[in-house]
Each structure stands twice: as structure tokens, then as C-alpha cells.
Amino acid sequence: QVQLVESGGGLVQAGGSLRLSCAASGRTFSSYAMGWFRQAPGKEREFVSAITSSGGNTLNANSVKGRFTISRDNAKKTVYLQMNSLKPEDTAVYYCAAGSRWASSARLYDYWGQGTQVTVSS
């Protein structure tokens, strides 16, 4: 079992930056692949980024390529999402997730955080 808590969301102007953090509990954190997803009001949950358990490989949605970077620090049991050049369409609740497989499909992740709100003003 692993518990996940996101933080770092807030209000930022278009073109600005935020860094989201996902703090995990559980001794087996380093064995999990991690992903970030987002969900805007009235819309389906959307894949953002994923990283392998070792941190050696990453995957990004086309909408965030060149702007967002996922990373992890297994010693700190924390996953990060650095978001640069933010756009109003990035506004959503952002969730981190843990799973045994590295994937872009939400159904393949087993554990989820509570989410953190990101609002980008124009």
C-alpha cells in the first residue's frame, strides 16, 4: 500500500511556472512507476506525464511536451512536475498516481492522491 499527497498548486499568470510535488508513504515507493493526470470541470481525466520506477525514462502528453518535466527522488519518496510556460488551458485539478506499469492510461494505476488545483489566468 502507498499513500500519495499532492501539493504546490495555486494561481499563476499565463507564461508563469509552478512545481507540483507528490509525497508518498510506504517502503516500496521506489518499485512503482508514477504518473501525473489532470481533470478540468466537466471533462474527462487526462494523462499528463509518467516516469519509470527508476526515473530512467519519461513520457509526456503532446499538449505539454517542451513545457512540463516529471522527475522523482526515491530517497525522499517524492515525485515532481515542473510546469513552465503555463497556459489557461492547463487549468485543472492535478493528480499523481502510482502503479506497477509505466503507462498513459489511468486505469493501469492503483493508487491516487487527492489532487491539487492549478489555475492559470490570462
Side-chain angles (χ1 to χ4, degrees), residues 5-7 20-22 34-38 46-51 69-71 79-82 94-97 109 112 116:
V5 180
E6 302 96 334
S7 63
L20 305 184
S21 297
C22 176
M34 299 294 298
W36 284 97
F37 294 79
R38 65 188 183 186
E46 175 189 26
F47 170 74
V48 176
S49 189
I51 190 167
T69 303
I70 189 171
S71 62
V79 177
Y80 305 96
L81 185 68
Q82 179 66 47
Y94 283 70
Y95 299 89
C96 67
Y109 290 84
W112 294 82
T116 186

Short mmCIF file of all heavy atoms in Angstrom, two decimals, residues 5-7 20-22 34-38 46-51 69-71 79-82 94-97 109 112 116:
data_model
loop_
_atom_site.label_atom_id
_atom_site.label_comp_id
_atom_site.label_asym_id
_atom_site.label_seq_id
_atom_site.Cartn_x
_atom_site.Cartn_y
_atom_site.Cartn_z
N VAL A 5 0.16 12.31 -1.55
CA VAL A 5 -0.37 13.63 -1.24
C VAL A 5 0.28 14.66 -2.14
O VAL A 5 1.49 14.87 -2.07
CB VAL A 5 -0.14 14.01 0.23
CG1 VAL A 5 -0.71 15.39 0.52
CG2 VAL A 5 -0.78 12.98 1.16
N GLU A 6 -0.54 15.33 -2.97
CA GLU A 6 -0.03 16.37 -3.87
C GLU A 6 0.00 17.72 -3.16
O GLU A 6 -0.81 17.99 -2.28
CB GLU A 6 -0.90 16.49 -5.12
CG GLU A 6 -1.04 15.21 -5.93
CD GLU A 6 -2.29 14.44 -5.58
OE1 GLU A 6 -2.79 14.57 -4.44
OE2 GLU A 6 -2.79 13.69 -6.45
N SER A 7 0.91 18.58 -3.61
CA SER A 7 0.98 19.95 -3.13
C SER A 7 1.65 20.81 -4.19
O SER A 7 2.21 20.31 -5.15
CB SER A 7 1.75 20.04 -1.81
OG SER A 7 3.09 19.63 -1.97
N LEU A 20 4.77 21.13 -8.93
CA LEU A 20 3.94 20.28 -8.10
C LEU A 20 4.78 19.18 -7.46
O LEU A 20 5.73 18.69 -8.07
CB LEU A 20 2.82 19.64 -8.92
CG LEU A 20 1.91 20.58 -9.71
CD1 LEU A 20 0.81 19.77 -10.39
CD2 LEU A 20 1.33 21.66 -8.82
N SER A 21 4.42 18.82 -6.24
CA SER A 21 5.09 17.73 -5.54
C SER A 21 4.07 16.67 -5.16
O SER A 21 2.91 16.98 -4.89
CB SER A 21 5.79 18.23 -4.28
OG SER A 21 6.81 19.16 -4.60
N CYS A 22 4.50 15.44 -5.13
CA CYS A 22 3.68 14.32 -4.69
C CYS A 22 4.50 13.52 -3.69
O CYS A 22 5.45 12.83 -4.07
CB CYS A 22 3.27 13.46 -5.88
SG CYS A 22 2.33 11.98 -5.45
N MET A 34 5.26 6.11 -11.71
CA MET A 34 4.42 7.22 -11.27
C MET A 34 3.89 8.00 -12.47
O MET A 34 4.57 8.13 -13.49
CB MET A 34 5.20 8.16 -10.36
CG MET A 34 5.72 7.52 -9.08
SD MET A 34 4.38 7.01 -7.95
CE MET A 34 3.63 8.61 -7.58
N GLY A 35 2.70 8.55 -12.31
CA GLY A 35 2.11 9.36 -13.36
C GLY A 35 1.43 10.59 -12.81
O GLY A 35 1.06 10.64 -11.63
N TRP A 36 1.29 11.59 -13.66
CA TRP A 36 0.50 12.78 -13.36
C TRP A 36 -0.66 12.85 -14.35
O TRP A 36 -0.48 12.65 -15.56
CB TRP A 36 1.34 14.06 -13.48
CG TRP A 36 2.27 14.30 -12.34
CD1 TRP A 36 3.59 14.01 -12.28
CD2 TRP A 36 1.95 14.93 -11.09
NE1 TRP A 36 4.13 14.40 -11.08
CE2 TRP A 36 3.13 14.97 -10.33
CE3 TRP A 36 0.78 15.46 -10.54
CZ2 TRP A 36 3.19 15.51 -9.04
CZ3 TRP A 36 0.83 15.99 -9.26
CH2 TRP A 36 2.02 16.01 -8.53
N PHE A 37 -1.84 13.14 -13.83
CA PHE A 37 -3.05 13.32 -14.62
C PHE A 37 -3.72 14.62 -14.21
O PHE A 37 -3.44 15.16 -13.14
CB PHE A 37 -4.01 12.15 -14.42
CG PHE A 37 -3.49 10.83 -14.93
CD1 PHE A 37 -2.57 10.10 -14.20
CD2 PHE A 37 -3.92 10.33 -16.15
CE1 PHE A 37 -2.08 8.89 -14.67
CE2 PHE A 37 -3.43 9.12 -16.63
CZ PHE A 37 -2.52 8.40 -15.89
N ARG A 38 -4.61 15.11 -15.05
CA ARG A 38 -5.35 16.32 -14.69
C ARG A 38 -6.80 16.20 -15.16
O ARG A 38 -7.12 15.47 -16.09
CB ARG A 38 -4.70 17.56 -15.29
CG ARG A 38 -4.72 17.62 -16.82
CD ARG A 38 -3.88 18.80 -17.29
NE ARG A 38 -3.91 18.95 -18.74
CZ ARG A 38 -3.17 19.81 -19.43
NH1 ARG A 38 -2.34 20.62 -18.78
NH2 ARG A 38 -3.28 19.88 -20.75
N GLU A 46 -7.30 13.37 -17.83
CA GLU A 46 -6.37 13.40 -18.95
C GLU A 46 -4.95 13.09 -18.50
O GLU A 46 -4.47 13.61 -17.49
CB GLU A 46 -6.42 14.79 -19.61
CG GLU A 46 -5.43 15.03 -20.71
CD GLU A 46 -5.41 16.48 -21.16
OE1 GLU A 46 -5.76 17.36 -20.33
OE2 GLU A 46 -5.06 16.74 -22.32
N PHE A 47 -4.26 12.27 -19.27
CA PHE A 47 -2.86 11.96 -18.99
C PHE A 47 -1.98 13.18 -19.22
O PHE A 47 -2.16 13.92 -20.19
CB PHE A 47 -2.39 10.81 -19.88
CG PHE A 47 -0.91 10.57 -19.83
CD1 PHE A 47 -0.32 9.97 -18.73
CD2 PHE A 47 -0.09 10.96 -20.89
CE1 PHE A 47 1.05 9.75 -18.68
CE2 PHE A 47 1.27 10.74 -20.85
CZ PHE A 47 1.84 10.14 -19.74
N VAL A 48 -1.00 13.36 -18.34
CA VAL A 48 -0.05 14.47 -18.47
C VAL A 48 1.37 13.95 -18.66
O VAL A 48 2.05 14.29 -19.63
CB VAL A 48 -0.10 15.40 -17.24
CG1 VAL A 48 0.97 16.49 -17.36
CG2 VAL A 48 -1.48 16.01 -17.10
N SER A 49 1.85 13.14 -17.72
CA SER A 49 3.24 12.70 -17.75
C SER A 49 3.42 11.45 -16.90
O SER A 49 2.64 11.20 -15.98
CB SER A 49 4.15 13.82 -17.23
OG SER A 49 5.52 13.52 -17.41
N ALA A 50 4.44 10.65 -17.21
CA ALA A 50 4.73 9.44 -16.44
C ALA A 50 6.24 9.22 -16.38
O ALA A 50 6.99 9.69 -17.24
CB ALA A 50 4.05 8.23 -17.06
N ILE A 51 6.66 8.47 -15.36
CA ILE A 51 8.07 8.18 -15.16
C ILE A 51 8.22 6.76 -14.63
O ILE A 51 7.39 6.28 -13.85
CB ILE A 51 8.71 9.22 -14.19
CG1 ILE A 51 10.23 9.08 -14.14
CG2 ILE A 51 8.10 9.10 -12.80
CD1 ILE A 51 10.91 10.28 -13.46
N THR A 69 8.02 18.91 -17.07
CA THR A 69 9.05 17.91 -16.83
C THR A 69 8.73 17.14 -15.56
O THR A 69 8.58 17.74 -14.49
CB THR A 69 10.44 18.54 -16.70
OG1 THR A 69 10.75 19.29 -17.88
CG2 THR A 69 11.50 17.45 -16.52
N ILE A 70 8.66 15.82 -15.66
CA ILE A 70 8.45 14.97 -14.49
C ILE A 70 9.79 14.46 -13.99
O ILE A 70 10.71 14.19 -14.78
CB ILE A 70 7.50 13.80 -14.83
CG1 ILE A 70 7.10 13.04 -13.56
CG2 ILE A 70 8.11 12.86 -15.86
CD1 ILE A 70 6.00 12.00 -13.80
N SER A 71 9.93 14.33 -12.69
CA SER A 71 11.14 13.79 -12.08
C SER A 71 10.79 13.14 -10.76
O SER A 71 9.68 13.31 -10.25
CB SER A 71 12.20 14.88 -11.88
OG SER A 71 11.74 15.89 -11.00
N VAL A 79 7.69 12.67 -6.03
CA VAL A 79 7.65 12.87 -7.48
C VAL A 79 7.28 14.33 -7.73
O VAL A 79 6.45 14.89 -7.03
CB VAL A 79 6.64 11.92 -8.14
CG1 VAL A 79 6.55 12.20 -9.64
CG2 VAL A 79 7.05 10.48 -7.91
N TYR A 80 7.89 14.91 -8.76
CA TYR A 80 7.67 16.32 -9.07
C TYR A 80 7.14 16.49 -10.48
O TYR A 80 7.38 15.66 -11.36
CB TYR A 80 8.98 17.11 -8.94
CG TYR A 80 9.66 16.98 -7.62
CD1 TYR A 80 10.68 16.05 -7.42
CD2 TYR A 80 9.29 17.79 -6.54
CE1 TYR A 80 11.31 15.92 -6.19
CE2 TYR A 80 9.92 17.66 -5.32
CZ TYR A 80 10.93 16.74 -5.14
OH TYR A 80 11.55 16.61 -3.92
N LEU A 81 6.43 17.59 -10.69
CA LEU A 81 6.05 18.01 -12.03
C LEU A 81 6.37 19.49 -12.15
O LEU A 81 5.69 20.33 -11.57
CB LEU A 81 4.56 17.77 -12.29
CG LEU A 81 4.10 18.09 -13.72
CD1 LEU A 81 4.72 17.10 -14.71
CD2 LEU A 81 2.58 18.04 -13.83
N GLN A 82 7.44 19.79 -12.89
CA GLN A 82 7.81 21.17 -13.15
C GLN A 82 7.02 21.65 -14.36
O GLN A 82 7.13 21.08 -15.44
CB GLN A 82 9.31 21.28 -13.42
CG GLN A 82 9.78 22.69 -13.74
CD GLN A 82 9.63 23.64 -12.57
OE1 GLN A 82 10.01 23.31 -11.45
NE2 GLN A 82 9.07 24.82 -12.83
N TYR A 94 -4.84 18.58 -10.58
CA TYR A 94 -3.77 17.67 -10.95
C TYR A 94 -3.63 16.56 -9.91
O TYR A 94 -3.58 16.83 -8.71
CB TYR A 94 -2.44 18.42 -11.09
CG TYR A 94 -2.35 19.21 -12.38
CD1 TYR A 94 -3.13 20.34 -12.58
CD2 TYR A 94 -1.50 18.80 -13.41
CE1 TYR A 94 -3.08 21.05 -13.76
CE2 TYR A 94 -1.43 19.51 -14.59
CZ TYR A 94 -2.22 20.63 -14.77
OH TYR A 94 -2.15 21.33 -15.95
N TYR A 95 -3.55 15.32 -10.39
CA TYR A 95 -3.45 14.15 -9.53
C TYR A 95 -2.16 13.38 -9.83
O TYR A 95 -1.78 13.25 -10.99
CB TYR A 95 -4.62 13.20 -9.78
CG TYR A 95 -5.98 13.77 -9.51
CD1 TYR A 95 -6.69 14.44 -10.51
CD2 TYR A 95 -6.58 13.63 -8.26
CE1 TYR A 95 -7.95 14.95 -10.27
CE2 TYR A 95 -7.84 14.14 -8.02
CZ TYR A 95 -8.52 14.80 -9.02
OH TYR A 95 -9.78 15.31 -8.78
N CYS A 96 -1.52 12.86 -8.80
CA CYS A 96 -0.45 11.91 -9.01
C CYS A 96 -0.97 10.50 -8.74
O CYS A 96 -1.94 10.31 -8.01
CB CYS A 96 0.78 12.22 -8.15
SG CYS A 96 0.57 12.01 -6.38
N ALA A 97 -0.33 9.53 -9.37
CA ALA A 97 -0.78 8.15 -9.27
C ALA A 97 0.42 7.21 -9.29
O ALA A 97 1.46 7.52 -9.88
CB ALA A 97 -1.72 7.81 -10.43
N TYR A 109 -3.20 2.46 -13.15
CA TYR A 109 -2.61 2.92 -11.90
C TYR A 109 -3.48 2.48 -10.73
O TYR A 109 -4.71 2.47 -10.82
CB TYR A 109 -2.43 4.43 -11.91
CG TYR A 109 -1.35 4.87 -12.85
CD1 TYR A 109 -1.62 5.06 -14.20
CD2 TYR A 109 -0.05 5.08 -12.40
CE1 TYR A 109 -0.61 5.44 -15.08
CE2 TYR A 109 0.95 5.46 -13.27
CZ TYR A 109 0.67 5.64 -14.61
OH TYR A 109 1.68 6.02 -15.48
N TRP A 112 -3.95 6.69 -5.91
CA TRP A 112 -4.14 8.07 -6.34
C TRP A 112 -4.10 9.04 -5.17
O TRP A 112 -4.55 8.71 -4.06
CB TRP A 112 -5.49 8.23 -7.05
CG TRP A 112 -5.57 7.49 -8.34
CD1 TRP A 112 -5.85 6.17 -8.52
CD2 TRP A 112 -5.35 8.03 -9.64
NE1 TRP A 112 -5.82 5.85 -9.85
CE2 TRP A 112 -5.52 6.97 -10.56
CE3 TRP A 112 -5.04 9.31 -10.12
CZ2 TRP A 112 -5.39 7.15 -11.94
CZ3 TRP A 112 -4.91 9.49 -11.48
CH2 TRP A 112 -5.08 8.42 -12.38
N THR A 116 -4.47 18.50 -6.50
CA THR A 116 -4.15 19.89 -6.16
C THR A 116 -4.58 20.78 -7.32
O THR A 116 -4.35 20.45 -8.48
CB THR A 116 -2.65 20.06 -5.83
OG1 THR A 116 -2.39 21.38 -5.38
CG2 THR A 116 -1.77 19.75 -7.04
#
